[in-house]
PDB file of all heavy atoms in Angstrom:
ATOM      1  N   GLU A   1      68.546 -14.183 -28.933  1.00  0.00           N
ATOM      2  CA  GLU A   1      68.224 -13.541 -27.642  1.00  0.00           C
ATOM      3  C   GLU A   1      67.506 -14.504 -26.723  1.00  0.00           C
ATOM      4  O   GLU A   1      67.748 -14.463 -25.491  1.00  0.00           O
ATOM      5  CB  GLU A   1      67.414 -12.330 -27.918  1.00  0.00           C
ATOM      6  CG  GLU A   1      68.118 -11.186 -28.644  1.00  0.00           C
ATOM      7  CD  GLU A   1      67.220 -10.014 -28.930  1.00  0.00           C
ATOM      8  OE1 GLU A   1      66.026 -10.094 -28.643  1.00  0.00           O
ATOM      9  OE2 GLU A   1      67.718  -9.030 -29.480  1.00  0.00           O
ATOM     10  N   VAL A   2      66.679 -15.345 -27.249  1.00  0.00           N
ATOM     11  CA  VAL A   2      65.958 -16.373 -26.450  1.00  0.00           C
ATOM     12  C   VAL A   2      66.974 -17.338 -25.897  1.00  0.00           C
ATOM     13  O   VAL A   2      66.932 -17.668 -24.676  1.00  0.00           O
ATOM     14  CB  VAL A   2      64.925 -17.110 -27.293  1.00  0.00           C
ATOM     15  CG1 VAL A   2      64.402 -18.316 -26.543  1.00  0.00           C
ATOM     16  CG2 VAL A   2      63.774 -16.167 -27.663  1.00  0.00           C
ATOM     17  N   GLU A   3      67.930 -17.784 -26.634  1.00  0.00           N
ATOM     18  CA  GLU A   3      68.939 -18.731 -26.147  1.00  0.00           C
ATOM     19  C   GLU A   3      69.814 -18.130 -25.050  1.00  0.00           C
ATOM     20  O   GLU A   3      70.124 -18.790 -24.035  1.00  0.00           O
ATOM     21  CB  GLU A   3      69.807 -19.198 -27.298  1.00  0.00           C
ATOM     22  CG  GLU A   3      69.092 -20.106 -28.261  1.00  0.00           C
ATOM     23  CD  GLU A   3      69.917 -20.455 -29.488  1.00  0.00           C
ATOM     24  OE1 GLU A   3      71.079 -20.001 -29.544  1.00  0.00           O
ATOM     25  OE2 GLU A   3      69.416 -21.205 -30.334  1.00  0.00           O
ATOM     26  N   GLN A   4      70.193 -16.837 -25.240  1.00  0.00           N
ATOM     27  CA  GLN A   4      70.978 -16.157 -24.182  1.00  0.00           C
ATOM     28  C   GLN A   4      70.179 -16.021 -22.888  1.00  0.00           C
ATOM     29  O   GLN A   4      70.730 -16.285 -21.777  1.00  0.00           O
ATOM     30  CB  GLN A   4      71.385 -14.819 -24.681  1.00  0.00           C
ATOM     31  CG  GLN A   4      72.427 -14.836 -25.802  1.00  0.00           C
ATOM     32  CD  GLN A   4      72.793 -13.406 -26.272  1.00  0.00           C
ATOM     33  OE1 GLN A   4      72.232 -12.455 -25.832  1.00  0.00           O
ATOM     34  NE2 GLN A   4      73.733 -13.339 -27.214  1.00  0.00           N
ATOM     35  N   ALA A   5      68.941 -15.693 -23.005  1.00  0.00           N
ATOM     36  CA  ALA A   5      68.131 -15.555 -21.788  1.00  0.00           C
ATOM     37  C   ALA A   5      67.875 -16.869 -21.145  1.00  0.00           C
ATOM     38  O   ALA A   5      67.878 -16.991 -19.878  1.00  0.00           O
ATOM     39  CB  ALA A   5      66.779 -14.928 -22.210  1.00  0.00           C
ATOM     40  N   GLN A   6      67.705 -17.964 -21.915  1.00  0.00           N
ATOM     41  CA  GLN A   6      67.522 -19.304 -21.369  1.00  0.00           C
ATOM     42  C   GLN A   6      68.783 -19.750 -20.622  1.00  0.00           C
ATOM     43  O   GLN A   6      68.699 -20.379 -19.582  1.00  0.00           O
ATOM     44  CB  GLN A   6      67.133 -20.249 -22.458  1.00  0.00           C
ATOM     45  CG  GLN A   6      65.736 -20.104 -22.950  1.00  0.00           C
ATOM     46  CD  GLN A   6      65.395 -20.973 -24.122  1.00  0.00           C
ATOM     47  OE1 GLN A   6      66.323 -21.523 -24.806  1.00  0.00           O
ATOM     48  NE2 GLN A   6      64.082 -21.216 -24.377  1.00  0.00           N
ATOM     49  N   ALA A   7      69.950 -19.400 -21.144  1.00  0.00           N
ATOM     50  CA  ALA A   7      71.235 -19.741 -20.516  1.00  0.00           C
ATOM     51  C   ALA A   7      71.333 -19.090 -19.154  1.00  0.00           C
ATOM     52  O   ALA A   7      71.760 -19.673 -18.162  1.00  0.00           O
ATOM     53  CB  ALA A   7      72.417 -19.407 -21.415  1.00  0.00           C
ATOM     54  N   ARG A   8      70.961 -17.778 -19.137  1.00  0.00           N
ATOM     55  CA  ARG A   8      71.018 -17.057 -17.848  1.00  0.00           C
ATOM     56  C   ARG A   8      70.063 -17.625 -16.872  1.00  0.00           C
ATOM     57  O   ARG A   8      70.324 -17.745 -15.659  1.00  0.00           O
ATOM     58  CB  ARG A   8      70.744 -15.569 -18.131  1.00  0.00           C
ATOM     59  CG  ARG A   8      70.774 -14.703 -16.873  1.00  0.00           C
ATOM     60  CD  ARG A   8      72.068 -14.844 -16.106  1.00  0.00           C
ATOM     61  NE  ARG A   8      72.048 -14.083 -14.864  1.00  0.00           N
ATOM     62  CZ  ARG A   8      72.972 -14.177 -13.936  1.00  0.00           C
ATOM     63  NH1 ARG A   8      74.001 -15.035 -14.099  1.00  0.00           N
ATOM     64  NH2 ARG A   8      72.902 -13.445 -12.865  1.00  0.00           N
ATOM     65  N   LEU A   9      68.855 -18.003 -17.343  1.00  0.00           N
ATOM     66  CA  LEU A   9      67.841 -18.584 -16.423  1.00  0.00           C
ATOM     67  C   LEU A   9      68.339 -19.898 -15.855  1.00  0.00           C
ATOM     68  O   LEU A   9      68.094 -20.219 -14.688  1.00  0.00           O
ATOM     69  CB  LEU A   9      66.579 -18.810 -17.195  1.00  0.00           C
ATOM     70  CG  LEU A   9      65.307 -19.128 -16.372  1.00  0.00           C
ATOM     71  CD1 LEU A   9      64.950 -17.985 -15.455  1.00  0.00           C
ATOM     72  CD2 LEU A   9      64.146 -19.474 -17.240  1.00  0.00           C
ATOM     73  N   ARG A  10      69.075 -20.703 -16.634  1.00  0.00           N
ATOM     74  CA  ARG A  10      69.573 -21.945 -16.106  1.00  0.00           C
ATOM     75  C   ARG A  10      70.639 -21.703 -15.064  1.00  0.00           C
ATOM     76  O   ARG A  10      70.741 -22.467 -14.012  1.00  0.00           O
ATOM     77  CB  ARG A  10      70.192 -22.784 -17.274  1.00  0.00           C
ATOM     78  CG  ARG A  10      69.134 -23.464 -18.194  1.00  0.00           C
ATOM     79  CD  ARG A  10      69.758 -24.472 -19.096  1.00  0.00           C
ATOM     80  NE  ARG A  10      70.747 -23.885 -19.987  1.00  0.00           N
ATOM     81  CZ  ARG A  10      70.383 -23.458 -21.214  1.00  0.00           C
ATOM     82  NH1 ARG A  10      69.192 -23.556 -21.647  1.00  0.00           N
ATOM     83  NH2 ARG A  10      71.347 -22.963 -21.971  1.00  0.00           N
ATOM     84  N   VAL A  11      71.447 -20.691 -15.226  1.00  0.00           N
ATOM     85  CA  VAL A  11      72.455 -20.364 -14.186  1.00  0.00           C
ATOM     86  C   VAL A  11      71.782 -19.943 -12.894  1.00  0.00           C
ATOM     87  O   VAL A  11      72.137 -20.396 -11.818  1.00  0.00           O
ATOM     88  CB  VAL A  11      73.369 -19.239 -14.715  1.00  0.00           C
ATOM     89  CG1 VAL A  11      74.275 -18.717 -13.640  1.00  0.00           C
ATOM     90  CG2 VAL A  11      74.224 -19.728 -15.885  1.00  0.00           C
ATOM     91  N   LEU A  12      70.759 -19.078 -13.005  1.00  0.00           N
ATOM     92  CA  LEU A  12      70.060 -18.661 -11.816  1.00  0.00           C
ATOM     93  C   LEU A  12      69.344 -19.781 -11.117  1.00  0.00           C
ATOM     94  O   LEU A  12      69.352 -19.875  -9.913  1.00  0.00           O
ATOM     95  CB  LEU A  12      69.059 -17.544 -12.212  1.00  0.00           C
ATOM     96  CG  LEU A  12      69.647 -16.237 -12.661  1.00  0.00           C
ATOM     97  CD1 LEU A  12      68.543 -15.271 -13.155  1.00  0.00           C
ATOM     98  CD2 LEU A  12      70.453 -15.524 -11.557  1.00  0.00           C
ATOM     99  N   ALA A  13      68.769 -20.669 -11.907  1.00  0.00           N
ATOM    100  CA  ALA A  13      68.042 -21.822 -11.328  1.00  0.00           C
ATOM    101  C   ALA A  13      69.081 -22.750 -10.607  1.00  0.00           C
ATOM    102  O   ALA A  13      68.784 -23.207  -9.495  1.00  0.00           O
ATOM    103  CB  ALA A  13      67.366 -22.638 -12.404  1.00  0.00           C
ATOM    104  N   ASN A  14      70.249 -22.937 -11.142  1.00  0.00           N
ATOM    105  CA  ASN A  14      71.242 -23.745 -10.525  1.00  0.00           C
ATOM    106  C   ASN A  14      71.750 -23.129  -9.216  1.00  0.00           C
ATOM    107  O   ASN A  14      71.882 -23.824  -8.209  1.00  0.00           O
ATOM    108  CB  ASN A  14      72.428 -24.004 -11.443  1.00  0.00           C
ATOM    109  CG  ASN A  14      73.509 -24.825 -10.863  1.00  0.00           C
ATOM    110  OD1 ASN A  14      74.514 -24.318 -10.271  1.00  0.00           O
ATOM    111  ND2 ASN A  14      73.411 -26.101 -10.957  1.00  0.00           N
ATOM    112  N   LEU A  15      71.889 -21.820  -9.229  1.00  0.00           N
ATOM    113  CA  LEU A  15      72.397 -21.133  -8.014  1.00  0.00           C
ATOM    114  C   LEU A  15      71.347 -21.143  -6.891  1.00  0.00           C
ATOM    115  O   LEU A  15      71.723 -21.201  -5.676  1.00  0.00           O
ATOM    116  CB  LEU A  15      72.794 -19.702  -8.326  1.00  0.00           C
ATOM    117  CG  LEU A  15      74.045 -19.512  -9.231  1.00  0.00           C
ATOM    118  CD1 LEU A  15      74.195 -18.040  -9.587  1.00  0.00           C
ATOM    119  CD2 LEU A  15      75.268 -20.059  -8.546  1.00  0.00           C
ATOM    120  N   THR A  16      70.091 -21.066  -7.280  1.00  0.00           N
ATOM    121  CA  THR A  16      69.044 -21.020  -6.266  1.00  0.00           C
ATOM    122  C   THR A  16      68.595 -22.446  -5.774  1.00  0.00           C
ATOM    123  O   THR A  16      68.166 -22.582  -4.681  1.00  0.00           O
ATOM    124  CB  THR A  16      67.807 -20.229  -6.774  1.00  0.00           C
ATOM    125  OG1 THR A  16      67.389 -20.852  -8.053  1.00  0.00           O
ATOM    126  CG2 THR A  16      68.181 -18.788  -7.036  1.00  0.00           C
ATOM    127  N   ASP A  17      68.731 -23.379  -6.625  1.00  0.00           N
ATOM    128  CA  ASP A  17      68.340 -24.752  -6.228  1.00  0.00           C
ATOM    129  C   ASP A  17      69.433 -25.427  -5.378  1.00  0.00           C
ATOM    130  O   ASP A  17      69.034 -26.243  -4.527  1.00  0.00           O
ATOM    131  CB  ASP A  17      68.083 -25.662  -7.501  1.00  0.00           C
ATOM    132  CG  ASP A  17      66.853 -25.166  -8.242  1.00  0.00           C
ATOM    133  OD1 ASP A  17      66.021 -24.443  -7.689  1.00  0.00           O
ATOM    134  OD2 ASP A  17      66.715 -25.537  -9.467  1.00  0.00           O
ATOM    135  N   LEU A  18      70.675 -25.081  -5.616  1.00  0.00           N
ATOM    136  CA  LEU A  18      71.782 -25.707  -4.839  1.00  0.00           C
ATOM    137  C   LEU A  18      72.504 -24.597  -4.103  1.00  0.00           C
ATOM    138  O   LEU A  18      73.049 -23.644  -4.758  1.00  0.00           O
ATOM    139  CB  LEU A  18      72.704 -26.465  -5.799  1.00  0.00           C
ATOM    140  CG  LEU A  18      72.128 -27.662  -6.511  1.00  0.00           C
ATOM    141  CD1 LEU A  18      73.142 -28.230  -7.512  1.00  0.00           C
ATOM    142  CD2 LEU A  18      71.651 -28.734  -5.562  1.00  0.00           C
ATOM    143  N   ALA A  19      72.665 -24.742  -2.841  1.00  0.00           N
ATOM    144  CA  ALA A  19      73.466 -23.819  -2.036  1.00  0.00           C
ATOM    145  C   ALA A  19      74.938 -24.192  -2.072  1.00  0.00           C
ATOM    146  O   ALA A  19      75.283 -25.337  -2.326  1.00  0.00           O
ATOM    147  CB  ALA A  19      72.924 -23.804  -0.533  1.00  0.00           C
ATOM    148  N   THR A  20      75.810 -23.206  -1.790  1.00  0.00           N
ATOM    149  CA  THR A  20      77.243 -23.483  -1.849  1.00  0.00           C
ATOM    150  C   THR A  20      77.818 -23.308  -0.444  1.00  0.00           C
ATOM    151  O   THR A  20      77.646 -22.281   0.175  1.00  0.00           O
ATOM    152  CB  THR A  20      77.921 -22.467  -2.813  1.00  0.00           C
ATOM    153  OG1 THR A  20      77.337 -22.616  -4.160  1.00  0.00           O
ATOM    154  CG2 THR A  20      79.399 -22.743  -2.940  1.00  0.00           C
ATOM    155  N   ILE A  21      78.585 -24.345   0.029  1.00  0.00           N
ATOM    156  CA  ILE A  21      79.284 -24.280   1.294  1.00  0.00           C
ATOM    157  C   ILE A  21      80.740 -24.546   1.021  1.00  0.00           C
ATOM    158  O   ILE A  21      81.119 -25.610   0.560  1.00  0.00           O
ATOM    159  CB  ILE A  21      78.684 -25.339   2.279  1.00  0.00           C
ATOM    160  CG1 ILE A  21      77.195 -25.112   2.490  1.00  0.00           C
ATOM    161  CG2 ILE A  21      79.429 -25.251   3.575  1.00  0.00           C
ATOM    162  CD1 ILE A  21      76.519 -26.158   3.437  1.00  0.00           C
ATOM    163  N   THR A  22      81.570 -23.573   1.354  1.00  0.00           N
ATOM    164  CA  THR A  22      83.024 -23.708   1.210  1.00  0.00           C
ATOM    165  C   THR A  22      83.632 -23.924   2.569  1.00  0.00           C
ATOM    166  O   THR A  22      83.449 -23.120   3.477  1.00  0.00           O
ATOM    167  CB  THR A  22      83.625 -22.448   0.557  1.00  0.00           C
ATOM    168  OG1 THR A  22      82.987 -22.201  -0.707  1.00  0.00           O
ATOM    169  CG2 THR A  22      85.114 -22.621   0.312  1.00  0.00           C
ATOM    170  N   VAL A  23      84.384 -25.062   2.683  1.00  0.00           N
ATOM    171  CA  VAL A  23      84.923 -25.439   3.996  1.00  0.00           C
ATOM    172  C   VAL A  23      86.455 -25.423   3.883  1.00  0.00           C
ATOM    173  O   VAL A  23      87.022 -26.111   3.044  1.00  0.00           O
ATOM    174  CB  VAL A  23      84.431 -26.872   4.407  1.00  0.00           C
ATOM    175  CG1 VAL A  23      84.978 -27.194   5.765  1.00  0.00           C
ATOM    176  CG2 VAL A  23      82.935 -26.899   4.362  1.00  0.00           C
ATOM    177  N   HIS A  24      87.105 -24.659   4.802  1.00  0.00           N
ATOM    178  CA  HIS A  24      88.560 -24.667   4.882  1.00  0.00           C
ATOM    179  C   HIS A  24      88.978 -25.411   6.105  1.00  0.00           C
ATOM    180  O   HIS A  24      88.506 -25.070   7.183  1.00  0.00           O
ATOM    181  CB  HIS A  24      89.069 -23.155   4.927  1.00  0.00           C
ATOM    182  CG  HIS A  24      88.551 -22.288   3.904  1.00  0.00           C
ATOM    183  ND1 HIS A  24      89.149 -22.206   2.625  1.00  0.00           N
ATOM    184  CD2 HIS A  24      87.474 -21.476   3.835  1.00  0.00           C
ATOM    185  CE1 HIS A  24      88.452 -21.316   1.905  1.00  0.00           C
ATOM    186  NE2 HIS A  24      87.442 -20.886   2.613  1.00  0.00           N
ATOM    187  N   ILE A  25      89.803 -26.404   5.984  1.00  0.00           N
ATOM    188  CA  ILE A  25      90.244 -27.251   7.073  1.00  0.00           C
ATOM    189  C   ILE A  25      91.784 -27.131   7.255  1.00  0.00           C
ATOM    190  O   ILE A  25      92.499 -27.312   6.293  1.00  0.00           O
ATOM    191  CB  ILE A  25      89.889 -28.716   6.864  1.00  0.00           C
ATOM    192  CG1 ILE A  25      88.384 -28.876   6.590  1.00  0.00           C
ATOM    193  CG2 ILE A  25      90.265 -29.547   8.074  1.00  0.00           C
ATOM    194  CD1 ILE A  25      87.948 -30.255   6.237  1.00  0.00           C
ATOM    195  N   GLN A  26      92.158 -26.822   8.460  1.00  0.00           N
ATOM    196  CA  GLN A  26      93.595 -26.712   8.793  1.00  0.00           C
ATOM    197  C   GLN A  26      93.945 -27.778   9.846  1.00  0.00           C
ATOM    198  O   GLN A  26      93.218 -27.913  10.829  1.00  0.00           O
ATOM    199  CB  GLN A  26      93.943 -25.314   9.364  1.00  0.00           C
ATOM    200  CG  GLN A  26      95.413 -25.087   9.633  1.00  0.00           C
ATOM    201  CD  GLN A  26      95.744 -23.709  10.070  1.00  0.00           C
ATOM    202  OE1 GLN A  26      94.826 -22.865  10.121  1.00  0.00           O
ATOM    203  NE2 GLN A  26      96.981 -23.478  10.382  1.00  0.00           N
ATOM    204  N   GLU A  27      95.024 -28.455   9.572  1.00  0.00           N
ATOM    205  CA  GLU A  27      95.451 -29.548  10.455  1.00  0.00           C
ATOM    206  C   GLU A  27      96.573 -29.048  11.363  1.00  0.00           C
ATOM    207  O   GLU A  27      97.495 -28.402  10.923  1.00  0.00           O
ATOM    208  CB  GLU A  27      95.916 -30.721   9.635  1.00  0.00           C
ATOM    209  CG  GLU A  27      96.306 -31.959  10.420  1.00  0.00           C
ATOM    210  CD  GLU A  27      96.771 -33.089   9.500  1.00  0.00           C
ATOM    211  OE1 GLU A  27      97.664 -32.843   8.633  1.00  0.00           O
ATOM    212  OE2 GLU A  27      96.238 -34.208   9.606  1.00  0.00           O
ATOM    213  N   VAL A  28      96.420 -29.416  12.664  1.00  0.00           N
ATOM    214  CA  VAL A  28      97.456 -29.076  13.711  1.00  0.00           C
ATOM    215  C   VAL A  28      97.727 -30.273  14.501  1.00  0.00           C
ATOM    216  O   VAL A  28      96.786 -30.823  15.127  1.00  0.00           O
ATOM    217  CB  VAL A  28      96.929 -27.880  14.552  1.00  0.00           C
ATOM    218  CG1 VAL A  28      97.996 -27.531  15.610  1.00  0.00           C
ATOM    219  CG2 VAL A  28      96.642 -26.638  13.726  1.00  0.00           C
ATOM    220  N   TYR A  29      98.963 -30.736  14.540  1.00  0.00           N
ATOM    221  CA  TYR A  29      99.312 -31.892  15.327  1.00  0.00           C
ATOM    222  C   TYR A  29      99.257 -31.563  16.781  1.00  0.00           C
ATOM    223  O   TYR A  29      99.645 -30.512  17.273  1.00  0.00           O
ATOM    224  CB  TYR A  29     100.753 -32.385  14.985  1.00  0.00           C
ATOM    225  CG  TYR A  29     100.833 -32.926  13.610  1.00  0.00           C
ATOM    226  CD1 TYR A  29     102.058 -32.878  12.943  1.00  0.00           C
ATOM    227  CD2 TYR A  29      99.734 -33.481  12.961  1.00  0.00           C
ATOM    228  CE1 TYR A  29     102.193 -33.414  11.612  1.00  0.00           C
ATOM    229  CE2 TYR A  29      99.839 -33.999  11.633  1.00  0.00           C
ATOM    230  CZ  TYR A  29     101.073 -33.972  11.022  1.00  0.00           C
ATOM    231  OH  TYR A  29     101.177 -34.505   9.725  1.00  0.00           O
ATOM    232  N   GLY A  30      98.713 -32.538  17.591  1.00  0.00           N
ATOM    233  CA  GLY A  30      98.596 -32.325  19.014  1.00  0.00           C
ATOM    234  C   GLY A  30      97.600 -31.222  19.387  1.00  0.00           C
ATOM    235  O   GLY A  30      97.758 -30.619  20.454  1.00  0.00           O
ATOM    236  N   TYR A  31      96.696 -30.988  18.500  1.00  0.00           N
ATOM    237  CA  TYR A  31      95.767 -29.847  18.775  1.00  0.00           C
ATOM    238  C   TYR A  31      94.789 -30.177  19.887  1.00  0.00           C
ATOM    239  O   TYR A  31      94.290 -31.298  19.986  1.00  0.00           O
ATOM    240  CB  TYR A  31      95.020 -29.510  17.520  1.00  0.00           C
ATOM    241  CG  TYR A  31      93.922 -28.495  17.723  1.00  0.00           C
ATOM    242  CD1 TYR A  31      94.204 -27.141  17.886  1.00  0.00           C
ATOM    243  CD2 TYR A  31      92.598 -28.894  17.750  1.00  0.00           C
ATOM    244  CE1 TYR A  31      93.235 -26.261  18.141  1.00  0.00           C
ATOM    245  CE2 TYR A  31      91.556 -27.986  17.963  1.00  0.00           C
ATOM    246  CZ  TYR A  31      91.901 -26.647  18.129  1.00  0.00           C
ATOM    247  OH  TYR A  31      90.872 -25.723  18.343  1.00  0.00           O
ATOM    248  N   GLN A  32      94.536 -29.178  20.759  1.00  0.00           N
ATOM    249  CA  GLN A  32      93.549 -29.274  21.782  1.00  0.00           C
ATOM    250  C   GLN A  32      92.613 -28.108  21.703  1.00  0.00           C
ATOM    251  O   GLN A  32      93.053 -26.956  21.580  1.00  0.00           O
ATOM    252  CB  GLN A  32      94.181 -29.293  23.164  1.00  0.00           C
ATOM    253  CG  GLN A  32      95.063 -30.517  23.454  1.00  0.00           C
ATOM    254  CD  GLN A  32      95.672 -30.476  24.842  1.00  0.00           C
ATOM    255  OE1 GLN A  32      95.471 -29.477  25.584  1.00  0.00           O
ATOM    256  NE2 GLN A  32      96.353 -31.494  25.213  1.00  0.00           N
TER     257      GLN A  32
END
């Protein structure tokens, strides 16, 4: 149970220490 809780705590720490930015880029020739 301690190992399971520690694994969950590591996941939460990773999510809160590092933010996630997802960027979608579309290319259009001659775009203005």
Side-chain angles (χ1 to χ4, degrees):
E1 294 178 356
V2 169
E3 291 175 356
Q4 291 179 356
Q6 288 175 339
R8 178 56 182 169
L9 190 65
R10 286 193 296 268
V11 171
L12 292 175
N14 179 266
L15 291 175
T16 54
D17 292 342
L18 296 176
T20 303
I21 302 178
T22 304
V23 183
H24 308 275
I25 305 177
Q26 184 177 357
E27 184 179 51
V28 179
Y29 292 154
Y31 171 75
Q32 294 181 357

